[in-house]
Amino acid sequence: MANYKDIIVGCIDKKGGIIEAFHALQNEFNYIPHEALVEAARVFGVSEAQAYGVATFYSYLSVEKRGKYIIRMCESAPCHVAGADELLKALESQLGIKVGETTSDGKFTLELTECVGQCQATPVITVNSEPVFNVTTKILPQVLAAYK
Amino acid sequence: MIKLTINGKEIQVPRGTMVLDACQQAGADIPTLCYDPDLKLAGSCRMCVVEAKGRPNLMAACVSPAENNMVIETESHDVVESRKIILELLLARHKLECHTCERDGSCKLQDYCYRYGVTDSRYAGQGPHFGMEDPNPFIKRDYDKCIMCTRCVRACEEITGAQVINVKDRGHHAKISTVFDGKLADSNCVFCGQCLMVCPVGALTSKVSAGKGRSFQTKGVLTTCTYCGTGCTFELNVKDDNVVGVTSVRDSEFSPVNKGALCVKGRFGWDFIHSPERLTTPLIKENGEFRPASWDEALNLAAEKLKGMKDKYGTDSVAMFSSARVTNEENYLAQKFARVVLGTNNIDHCASLCHSSNVAGMGAAFGSGAMTNTINDMGEDARAIFVIGSNTTENHPIIGYKIKQNVRKNGAKLIVADPHCTDLATMADVNMQFQPGTDVALLNGMMNVIITEGLLDKEFIENRTENFAALKQILEKYTPEYVEPITGVPADDIRRAARIYAESEASAICYSMGQTPYSTGTDNVKSVCNLAMLTGNVGRPGTGVNALLGQNNVQGACDMGCLPIAYQAATDSEIRDKFEKAWGLTLSAQNGLTVTQTINAAHAGQIKGLFVLGENPIVSDPDIQHVDEYLEKLECLIVQDIFLTETAQKADIVLPGLSFAEKEGTFTSTERRVQLVRKAVSGPGEAQDDWWILCELSTRMGYPMFYANAEEIFEEMRLLTPSYAGMSYARLQGSGLHWPCPTEDHPGTPILHKDIFSRGLGLFHAIEFKEPVEL
Amino acid sequence: MAEEMRVLLEYADKINPESADEYVKVGGYVGLEKARQMEINDLIQEVKSSGLRGRGGAGFNAGMKWSFVPKNAEIKYVVCNLDEGEPGTYKDRIICEKNAQALLEGMAICGRAIGSNQGYIYCRGEYPFTVKLLKNAIQSAKELGALGDFNIEVRMGAGAYVCGEETALIESIEGHRGEPRFKPPFPGVAGLWGVPTVVNNVETFACLPSILTKGSAWFAGIGAAKYPGTKIVTLTGDAVNTTFFEVPTDYILRDVIYKLGGGVKGGKKLKAVQVGGTSGSFIPEQNLDTQIDFDSMGAIGAALGSGAVLVLDETRDIVDIVTRISKFFEHESCGKCNPCREGTFRCREIMEKINAGKASQKDIDNLLLLTRVMQKAALCGLGQAAPFPIQSTIKHFAHEYARKIV
Ligand SMILES: Cc1cc2nc3c(=O)[nH]c(=O)nc-3n(C[C@H](O)[C@H](O)[C@H](O)COP(=O)(O)O)c2cc1C
Ligand code: SF4
Ligand code: FES
């Protein structure tokens, strides 16, 4: 955790930019480490409890350690009618984890999300925020294999 | 004014009035859960919804400004339906155990369910249940009763400024939590319990009061806190002659200083009242062991011993220590007892260690050695606050909260100078961590900047002060660069601090024990007085030199004359004359011994007897070893206290007195506000009023003293104490009075030295920096 | 009329959206130049009389909103709402991907009108690539000097639908939990960091350049008289062409689905359309001939909202979909106010019970009562709108519910 301080300081010129700092931290660590949250609170002049309140409010932010690739499956109505339920089952069984968990090799974390704004090609998953379109259960193994 | 119609009734309110207040004015009671008049608005519980004609949705009355020609219904079909459903939604996840709930009878949820006939919830189902045990001795949070009104979060943020809790997660999973959902004890929580005060339901309750009685079983007795000099008031909750809790009083009429806020000591520290360790009978030591004795026996013995020593070794062989913890009435009587009955001016109390520098320093500069302004001045009117040598949030929590609020809410500037990095320092605009004991250098440095940069108040100096030239001359060499190596504070910080202090419209200085208990204490005090006068920051709201006194009645004990060199000096024949007339005998014209001198004199064998009322010098004195030895040397030690303290254990005779909860009287807070102490419960066993004990002793020693109650003592005292002359118990009922209050129609004096200093002109002292001998 | 009418998307895929130079070549930044020449009052009047109404859902006249901003305030902000959290909606992303410079120009025009030189774009956290695109576009515009002294900063959301609500959005830019504020005060008076702030949707801003270049009368003449201009709609679900279209606002729903959308997939019959995203009402087949403009939609108890169109074929299980939608609201409720925090949770609970075939008519009655209270008493639009899918389906598709209750 060498550089979390630098990452936070990098956002300091953004007024109220603690969420930007959280994003930057997540880009580096995939989650917001505790000491980084405390530091961000200090830098942005808010209480630790407040910073924690912010970090836990937003579903894209996590204060728990996560895997290298964060797979988020959209379950909003357009994806739901396109078969998201089935896809979720397939994801769980192929990754061998339940929603919210991380594979034992630390590679994948599986999460649910609401609409990611790519409803022209449902069902959609995102992997580290990159959308993958029209993910059928059939092409799923192929999709997952792309992540090393 | 705007006009609106509420439930068919037309009313007028000023623009900016909220619908909630307008409804109240029209006699319509609006239920509220999240609304708290002392906190920022949330508008979130939606209990207060009302119907405004022509609007599609209901509006939350608490956050909606009244508009001209609004037509409002407060109990329409839709309104009642909404309130009922909101209650049902809350009940759906609420642990309904009113029969064992601490807040039964004082719970808003319960009240409103009753009002709207909501018996149970059609929406009862699943719901998140968060754990509830937080292992701390004071606060119990039961998440299954939480209604997420966030009043606790807002109170923690806005009243105390601790900000240790917030909402975690969102939606139905949201819960109140500390950072990382940890324990309160691991957070910065100071356990002030403001969260308990504002919680409208049973989610937050006091562990200390748990199971001891609910609001409808208890009677509230308004009184004044016995811990620090702030002078907070609260109600003691009494059930069956027992104190079972403390309730904040938020009405500023009855809680003028703290307005309901309390610190951990005030809110939770009352359980000592019924401690099994309390003294219940007089004790007499025989063969090194205490044995209980009757009052007659103990008092006779004490009188005999005191009289014996007086006769054998002379009047000045006996000394008395009074206490900054006991009431004005008791202090008055104690010094009267010493001067009249013991015949000595050897009367002192612990304040001579901490407060005498104020008395001397401020007395010399201003003519009066007391805090010049009020606590609320620092919380509201001051635009800049300079805190030096005070860990305010720690030692005077409520004053600390107020300073924080002033900084956060009103944008007041904060300068902190302290050898330690205090809590306030972390939020200061300038934080000067200086070398201990270099106060004078630092202050001189600031004044040097003010003079060099022309930031001084020439008019004030010219019209209201004297001896400026001498100060100016010695300040010349104290440039920030000169002072930096002495104090360890960067020159630029000294400059910034000086500018902030000098340029703000109203700057208050606030200091405490960090400044005074040094050999250079008086110099330090004189220096802050210099600084204040230099910039004209005396005599106006939000300014002044504000010495924060440690114990609840330091100011009062001094005012009452429990000082060897009292405000009303024994060496002054006119004053002596006044007292001699009142008390009917001749008084010693010689100044008495201070606490420290008494100790030394005992060592030297000059002091043979000591009567200690409510003090514990073994613990409060700097040199414990020394005190211990001299107590051993005394021929007779009499201690009057509520506990068998370290000092009492050394005594020959111990007399059990009463705690603040068991007696009447007055305390004078650090801001010179005199407030009533009221009896809530009876004392334990045979313990007696401290003034009764003194009267009995006095009578037995040949000077009959008799009072029917504390008020009679006060009445005698005020005849002899000009600054209290206009006060009476009747006048003190509400928010008390600030001395000086010379006549019965005088409103009291919140701000001293308004147009003229007590000594006429303010006196500058040219003070060179000297290393204090302690360091 | 069966073709699109492309105004905002006229140069889609013909120019590089990031490049200010390319945008200028096709007539970009002329509107801003014109705005700079105009008196402030005339400028606001011009926008007012174009009849442009907010494209973010509430349909408020843009010029009118600007006119409420106090003139004497020293600092003011222009905020662009690119939160686009409404499921089924992706038109703001499309506008950025096809014509980002128009958004920047529109914001600068607003800045000119209200006297602000600082803009913020609040982009949802799901669109990091759009953030990148916008940053490049801003850079390009700056290099060209097109924005003058108007600055634009991009801020990112982090997965909270409620942050599309303007005051929650403001809270989020300030670095707080995205909980809506009560109104008044409206952002126009006290918004971002307490100063006057105009919040408009991406599409609203993107309309402005052409209004200024071609004139308010031209704009007012397009589409429905009371909600003029074009609207970008996004098709999802069982339509053949699940993509975006820009159409004049007097276009009817049936044409969106059958002419542009190519009808229902697999030649199936249509059961329902949900317009306006997940918080919209479900519209039965018989109402398909309604124009998509704000007021026409309102007249049939629906809302244009963001312009998302979810098409459901005859095989779809309405109760199941509404159950899923109720879970969306439960998940997205910020939790600040009681009716919504507790209400969305209980709605989901009851919907699941119905969907599982375990509910009775009593449950449906309780549900309707609850939604009525949420609609009337919730603090913000989320809690107020969450009931629409439930209420509209119980009304129009009662038989689907009837089939499932015991
Ligand atoms: C729950 C909720 C979500 C919203 N989401 C969005 C959104 O994603 N994008 C948007 O432009 N407006 C959204 N709005 C509307 C905004 O509050 C606001 O009305 C709009 O940004 C104003 O811009 P306009 O006048 O240009 O439409 C939402 C409102 C609510 C209540
Ligand atoms: S309606 Fe819902 S989203 Fe809006 S403030 Fe209330 S809880 Fe939050
Ligand atoms: S009291 Fe008004 S919303 Fe809670």
Coordinates of all heavy atoms in Angstrom, one line a residue, chain B residues 92-151:
Chain B
A92 N -43.4 -1.9 11.6 CA -43.1 -3.1 10.9 C -41.7 -3.7 11.2 O -41.5 -4.9 11.1 CB -43.3 -3.0 9.4
R93 N -40.8 -2.8 11.6 CA -39.5 -3.3 11.9 C -39.1 -2.9 13.3 O -37.9 -2.9 13.7 CB -38.4 -2.8 10.9 CG -38.3 -1.3 10.8 CD -37.4 -0.9 9.7 NE -36.0 -1.2 10.0 CZ -35.0 -0.7 9.3 NH1 -35.2 0.1 8.3 NH2 -33.7 -1.0 9.7
H94 N -40.0 -2.5 14.1 CA -39.7 -2.0 15.4 C -40.0 -3.1 16.5 O -41.0 -3.7 16.5 CB -40.6 -0.8 15.7 CG -40.2 0.0 16.9 ND1 -39.3 1.0 16.8 CD2 -40.6 -0.1 18.2 CE1 -39.1 1.6 18.0 NE2 -39.9 0.9 18.9
K95 N -39.0 -3.2 17.3 CA -39.2 -4.2 18.4 C -40.2 -3.7 19.4 O -39.8 -2.7 20.1 CB -37.8 -4.5 19.0 CG -37.9 -5.6 20.0 CD -36.5 -6.2 20.3 CE -35.6 -5.1 21.0 NZ -34.2 -5.5 21.2
L96 N -41.4 -4.2 19.4 CA -42.4 -3.7 20.3 C -42.3 -4.3 21.6 O -42.9 -5.3 21.9 CB -43.8 -4.0 19.7 CG -44.3 -2.9 18.7 CD1 -45.7 -3.3 18.2 CD2 -44.3 -1.5 19.3
E97 N -41.6 -3.6 22.5 CA -41.5 -4.1 23.9 C -41.7 -3.0 24.8 O -40.9 -2.8 25.7 CB -40.2 -4.9 24.1 CG -39.0 -4.1 23.6 CD -37.7 -4.7 24.0 OE1 -37.5 -5.9 24.1 OE2 -36.8 -3.9 24.4
C98 N -42.7 -2.2 24.6 CA -43.0 -1.0 25.4 C -43.0 -1.4 26.9 O -42.6 -0.5 27.7 CB -44.3 -0.4 25.0 SG -44.4 0.1 23.3
H99 N -43.4 -2.6 27.2 CA -43.5 -2.9 28.7 C -42.2 -2.9 29.4 O -42.1 -2.8 30.6 CB -44.3 -4.2 28.8 CG -43.7 -5.3 28.1 ND1 -43.5 -5.4 26.8 CD2 -43.1 -6.5 28.6 CE1 -42.9 -6.5 26.4 NE2 -42.7 -7.2 27.5
T100 N -41.1 -3.1 28.6 CA -39.8 -3.1 29.3 C -38.9 -1.9 28.8 O -37.8 -1.8 29.2 CB -39.0 -4.4 29.1 OG1 -39.0 -4.6 27.7 CG2 -39.7 -5.5 29.8
C101 N -39.5 -1.1 27.9 CA -38.7 -0.1 27.3 C -38.5 1.1 28.2 O -39.4 1.6 28.8 CB -39.3 0.4 26.0 SG -38.3 1.6 25.1
E102 N -37.2 1.6 28.2 CA -36.9 2.7 29.1 C -37.7 4.0 28.7 O -38.0 4.8 29.5 CB -35.4 3.1 28.9 CG -34.4 2.1 29.5 CD -34.6 2.1 31.0 OE1 -34.9 3.1 31.6 OE2 -34.4 1.0 31.6
R103 N -38.1 4.0 27.4 CA -38.7 5.2 27.0 C -40.3 5.1 27.0 O -41.0 6.0 26.5 CB -38.2 5.6 25.6 CG -36.8 6.0 25.5 CD -36.5 7.2 26.4 NE -37.2 8.4 25.9 CZ -36.8 9.3 25.0 NH1 -35.6 9.1 24.5 NH2 -37.5 10.3 24.7
D104 N -40.8 4.1 27.5 CA -42.2 4.0 27.7 C -42.7 5.2 28.3 O -42.3 5.6 29.4 CB -42.6 2.7 28.5 CG -44.1 2.5 28.6 OD1 -44.8 3.0 27.7 OD2 -44.5 1.9 29.6
G105 N -43.7 5.9 27.7 CA -44.2 7.1 28.3 C -43.5 8.4 27.8 O -44.1 9.4 28.0
S106 N -42.4 8.2 27.2 CA -41.8 9.4 26.7 C -41.2 9.1 25.3 O -40.2 9.6 24.9 CB -40.6 9.9 27.6 OG -39.6 8.9 27.7
C107 N -42.0 8.3 24.5 CA -41.6 7.9 23.2 C -42.5 8.5 22.2 O -43.7 8.4 22.3 CB -41.6 6.4 23.1 SG -41.5 5.7 21.5
K108 N -41.9 9.1 21.2 CA -42.8 9.8 20.2 C -43.5 8.8 19.3 O -44.7 9.0 18.9 CB -42.0 10.7 19.3 CG -41.6 12.0 20.0 CD -41.2 13.0 18.9 CE -41.3 14.4 19.5 NZ -41.4 15.4 18.4
L109 N -42.9 7.7 19.1 CA -43.6 6.7 18.2 C -44.8 6.1 19.0 O -45.9 6.0 18.4 CB -42.6 5.5 18.0 CG -43.0 4.5 16.9 CD1 -43.3 5.1 15.6 CD2 -41.9 3.4 16.8
Q110 N -44.6 5.9 20.2 CA -45.7 5.4 21.0 C -46.9 6.5 21.1 O -48.0 6.2 20.9 CB -45.2 5.2 22.5 CG -46.1 4.3 23.3 CD -45.5 4.2 24.7 OE1 -45.1 5.2 25.3 NE2 -45.5 3.0 25.3
D111 N -46.5 7.7 21.3 CA -47.5 8.8 21.4 C -48.3 8.9 20.1 O -49.5 9.0 20.1 CB -46.8 10.1 21.6 CG -46.2 10.2 23.0 OD1 -46.5 9.4 23.8 OD2 -45.4 11.2 23.2
Y112 N -47.6 8.8 19.0 CA -48.3 9.0 17.7 C -49.1 7.8 17.3 O -50.2 7.9 16.7 CB -47.3 9.4 16.6 CG -46.6 10.7 16.9 CD1 -45.3 10.9 16.4 CD2 -47.2 11.7 17.6 CE1 -44.7 12.1 16.7 CE2 -46.6 12.9 17.8 CZ -45.3 13.1 17.4 OH -44.7 14.3 17.6
C113 N -48.7 6.6 17.7 CA -49.5 5.4 17.5 C -50.8 5.5 18.3 O -51.9 5.2 17.8 CB -48.7 4.1 17.9 SG -47.5 3.7 16.6
Y114 N -50.6 6.0 19.5 CA -51.8 6.2 20.3 C -52.7 7.2 19.7 O -53.9 7.0 19.5 CB -51.3 6.7 21.7 CG -52.5 7.0 22.7 CD1 -53.1 5.9 23.4 CD2 -52.9 8.3 22.9 CE1 -54.1 6.2 24.2 CE2 -53.9 8.6 23.8 CZ -54.6 7.5 24.4 OH -55.6 7.8 25.3
R115 N -52.1 8.3 19.3 CA -52.9 9.4 18.7 C -53.7 9.0 17.4 O -54.8 9.4 17.2 CB -52.0 10.6 18.3 CG -52.6 11.7 17.5 CD -51.7 12.9 17.6 NE -52.0 13.9 16.5 CZ -51.3 15.0 16.4 NH1 -50.4 15.3 17.2 NH2 -51.6 15.8 15.4
Y116 N -53.1 8.1 16.6 CA -53.7 7.7 15.4 C -54.3 6.3 15.4 O -54.7 5.7 14.4 CB -52.8 7.9 14.2 CG -52.5 9.4 13.9 CD1 -51.3 10.0 14.2 CD2 -53.6 10.1 13.3 CE1 -51.1 11.3 14.0 CE2 -53.4 11.5 13.1 CZ -52.1 12.1 13.4 OH -52.0 13.4 13.2
G117 N -54.3 5.8 16.6 CA -54.9 4.4 16.8 C -54.3 3.3 16.0 O -54.9 2.4 15.5
V118 N -53.0 3.4 15.9 CA -52.2 2.4 15.2 C -51.8 1.3 16.1 O -51.0 1.5 17.0 CB -51.0 3.0 14.5 CG1 -50.1 1.9 13.9 CG2 -51.4 4.0 13.4
T119 N -52.4 0.1 16.0 CA -52.2 -0.9 17.0 C -51.1 -1.9 16.5 O -50.2 -2.3 17.2 CB -53.4 -1.8 17.3 OG1 -54.0 -2.1 16.0 CG2 -54.4 -1.0 18.1
D120 N -51.2 -2.2 15.2 CA -50.1 -3.0 14.7 C -49.9 -2.7 13.2 O -50.6 -1.8 12.7 CB -50.2 -4.5 14.9 CG -51.6 -5.0 14.4 OD1 -52.3 -4.2 13.7 OD2 -52.0 -6.1 14.7
S121 N -49.0 -3.4 12.6 CA -48.6 -3.0 11.2 C -49.1 -4.0 10.2 O -48.8 -5.2 10.4 CB -47.1 -2.8 11.1 OG -46.8 -2.5 9.8
R122 N -49.8 -3.6 9.2 CA -50.1 -4.6 8.1 C -48.9 -4.9 7.3 O -49.0 -5.7 6.4 CB -51.3 -4.0 7.3 CG -51.0 -2.8 6.5 CD -52.3 -2.2 6.0 NE -52.7 -1.1 6.8 CZ -53.9 -0.5 6.8 NH1 -54.8 -0.9 6.0 NH2 -54.1 0.5 7.6
Y123 N -47.8 -4.2 7.5 CA -46.6 -4.5 6.7 C -45.5 -5.3 7.4 O -44.4 -5.4 6.9 CB -46.0 -3.1 6.2 CG -47.1 -2.4 5.3 CD1 -47.7 -1.3 5.8 CD2 -47.5 -2.9 4.1 CE1 -48.7 -0.6 5.1 CE2 -48.5 -2.3 3.4 CZ -49.1 -1.1 3.8 OH -50.0 -0.5 3.1
A124 N -45.9 -5.8 8.6 CA -44.9 -6.6 9.3 C -44.4 -7.7 8.4 O -45.1 -8.3 7.7 CB -45.5 -7.1 10.6
G125 N -43.1 -7.8 8.4 CA -42.5 -8.9 7.6 C -41.1 -9.0 8.0 O -40.7 -8.9 9.2
Q126 N -40.2 -9.3 7.0 CA -38.8 -9.4 7.3 C -38.2 -8.0 7.5 O -38.9 -7.0 7.4 CB -38.1 -10.0 6.1 CG -38.8 -11.3 5.6 CD -38.1 -12.5 6.2 OE1 -37.1 -12.9 5.7 NE2 -38.7 -13.0 7.3
G127 N -37.0 -8.0 7.9 CA -36.3 -6.7 8.0 C -35.0 -6.9 8.5 O -34.8 -7.9 9.2
P128 N -34.1 -6.1 8.2 CA -32.7 -6.3 8.7 C -32.7 -6.1 10.2 O -33.3 -5.2 10.7 CB -31.9 -5.2 8.0 CG -32.8 -4.2 7.6 CD -34.2 -4.8 7.5
H129 N -32.0 -7.0 10.9 CA -31.8 -6.8 12.3 C -30.3 -6.7 12.5 O -29.6 -7.7 12.3 CB -32.4 -8.0 13.1 CG -33.9 -8.0 12.9 ND1 -34.7 -7.2 13.6 CD2 -34.7 -8.8 12.2 CE1 -36.0 -7.4 13.2 NE2 -36.0 -8.4 12.4
F130 N -29.9 -5.5 13.0 CA -28.5 -5.3 13.2 C -28.2 -5.7 14.7 O -29.1 -5.5 15.5 CB -28.1 -3.9 12.9 CG -28.6 -3.4 11.6 CD1 -29.6 -2.4 11.5 CD2 -28.0 -3.9 10.4 CE1 -30.0 -1.9 10.3 CE2 -28.5 -3.4 9.2 CZ -29.5 -2.4 9.1
G131 N -27.0 -6.1 14.9 CA -26.7 -6.5 16.3 C -26.8 -5.2 17.1 O -26.9 -4.1 16.6
M132 N -26.9 -5.3 18.4 CA -27.1 -4.1 19.2 C -26.1 -3.9 20.4 O -26.0 -2.8 20.9 CB -28.5 -4.1 19.8 CG -28.8 -5.2 20.7 SD -30.3 -5.0 21.5 CE -29.7 -4.6 23.2
E133 N -25.3 -4.9 20.7 CA -24.5 -4.7 21.9 C -23.2 -3.9 21.6 O -22.5 -4.3 20.7 CB -24.1 -6.1 22.5 CG -23.4 -6.0 23.8 CD -23.8 -4.9 24.8 OE1 -25.0 -4.5 24.8 OE2 -22.9 -4.4 25.5
D134 N -23.1 -2.8 22.2 CA -21.8 -2.0 22.1 C -21.3 -2.0 23.5 O -21.9 -1.4 24.4 CB -22.1 -0.7 21.5 CG -20.9 0.1 21.3 OD1 -20.2 -0.1 20.2 OD2 -20.5 0.9 22.1
P135 N -20.1 -2.6 23.7 CA -19.6 -2.7 25.1 C -19.0 -1.4 25.6 O -17.8 -1.1 25.5 CB -18.5 -3.7 24.9 CG -18.1 -3.7 23.5 CD -19.2 -3.2 22.7
N136 N -19.9 -0.5 26.0 CA -19.4 0.7 26.7 C -20.3 0.9 27.9 O -21.4 0.4 27.9 CB -19.5 1.9 25.7 CG -20.9 2.4 25.5 OD1 -21.5 3.0 26.4 ND2 -21.5 2.0 24.3
P137 N -19.8 1.7 28.9 CA -20.6 1.7 30.1 C -21.8 2.7 30.1 O -22.5 2.7 31.0 CB -19.5 2.2 31.1 CG -18.4 2.8 30.3 CD -18.5 2.3 29.0
F138 N -21.9 3.5 29.0 CA -22.9 4.6 29.1 C -24.1 4.5 28.1 O -25.2 4.7 28.5 CB -22.2 5.9 28.8 CG -21.0 6.2 29.7 CD1 -19.7 6.2 29.2 CD2 -21.2 6.3 31.0 CE1 -18.6 6.4 30.0 CE2 -20.1 6.6 31.9 CZ -18.9 6.6 31.4
I139 N -23.8 4.2 26.9 CA -24.8 4.3 25.9 C -25.3 3.0 25.3 O -24.4 2.2 24.9 CB -24.3 5.2 24.7 CG1 -24.0 6.6 25.3 CG2 -25.3 5.3 23.6 CD1 -23.4 7.5 24.3
K140 N -26.6 2.8 25.3 CA -27.1 1.5 24.7 C -27.8 1.9 23.4 O -28.7 2.8 23.4 CB -28.0 0.9 25.7 CG -28.7 -0.4 25.1 CD -29.6 -1.1 26.1 CE -30.6 -2.0 25.4 NZ -31.5 -2.6 26.3
R141 N -27.4 1.3 22.3 CA -28.1 1.6 21.1 C -28.8 0.3 20.6 O -28.2 -0.7 20.4 CB -27.1 2.0 20.0 CG -27.8 2.4 18.7 CD -26.8 2.8 17.6 NE -26.2 4.1 17.7 CZ -26.9 5.2 17.3 NH1 -28.1 5.2 16.9 NH2 -26.2 6.4 17.5
D142 N -30.1 0.4 20.5 CA -30.9 -0.8 20.1 C -31.4 -0.5 18.6 O -32.4 0.2 18.4 CB -32.1 -1.0 21.0 CG -32.8 -2.3 20.7 OD1 -32.6 -2.8 19.6 OD2 -33.5 -2.8 21.6
Y143 N -30.8 -1.2 17.7 CA -31.1 -0.9 16.3 C -32.5 -1.3 16.0 O -33.1 -0.8 15.0 CB -30.1 -1.6 15.3 CG -28.8 -1.0 15.3 CD1 -27.7 -1.5 15.9 CD2 -28.7 0.2 14.5 CE1 -26.5 -0.9 15.8 CE2 -27.4 0.8 14.5 CZ -26.3 0.3 15.1 OH -25.1 0.9 15.0
D144 N -33.0 -2.3 16.7 CA -34.4 -2.7 16.4 C -35.5 -1.7 16.9 O -36.7 -2.0 16.7 CB -34.6 -4.1 17.0 CG -33.8 -5.2 16.3 OD1 -33.4 -4.9 15.1 OD2 -33.5 -6.2 16.9
K145 N -35.0 -0.7 17.5 CA -36.0 0.4 17.8 C -35.7 1.7 17.0 O -36.4 2.7 17.2 CB -36.0 0.7 19.3 CG -36.5 -0.5 20.1 CD -36.5 -0.1 21.6 CE -36.8 -1.3 22.4 NZ -36.4 -1.1 23.8
C146 N -34.6 1.7 16.3 CA -34.2 2.9 15.6 C -35.2 3.2 14.4 O -35.6 2.3 13.7 CB -32.8 2.7 15.0 SG -32.2 4.0 14.0
I147 N -35.5 4.5 14.3 CA -36.4 4.9 13.3 C -35.7 5.7 12.2 O -36.3 6.4 11.4 CB -37.6 5.7 13.8 CG1 -37.1 6.9 14.6 CG2 -38.5 4.8 14.7 CD1 -38.2 7.9 14.9
M148 N -34.4 5.7 12.3 CA -33.6 6.4 11.3 C -33.9 7.9 11.1 O -33.9 8.4 10.0 CB -33.7 5.7 9.9 CG -32.9 4.3 9.9 SD -31.2 4.5 10.3 CE -30.6 5.3 8.8
C149 N -34.2 8.6 12.2 CA -34.5 10.0 12.1 C -33.2 10.8 11.9 O -33.3 12.0 11.6 CB -35.3 10.4 13.3 SG -34.3 10.4 14.8
T150 N -32.1 10.2 12.2 CA -30.7 10.8 12.2 C -30.5 12.0 13.1 O -29.6 12.8 12.9 CB -30.3 11.3 10.7 OG1 -31.1 12.4 10.3 CG2 -30.4 10.1 9.7
R151 N -31.4 12.1 14.1 CA -31.2 13.1 15.1 C -29.9 12.9 15.8 O -29.1 13.9 16.1 CB -32.3 13.3 16.0 CG -33.5 14.0 15.4 CD -34.8 13.7 16.1 NE -34.9 14.3 17.4 CZ -36.1 14.7 18.0 NH1 -37.2 14.5 17.3 NH2 -36.1 15.2 19.2

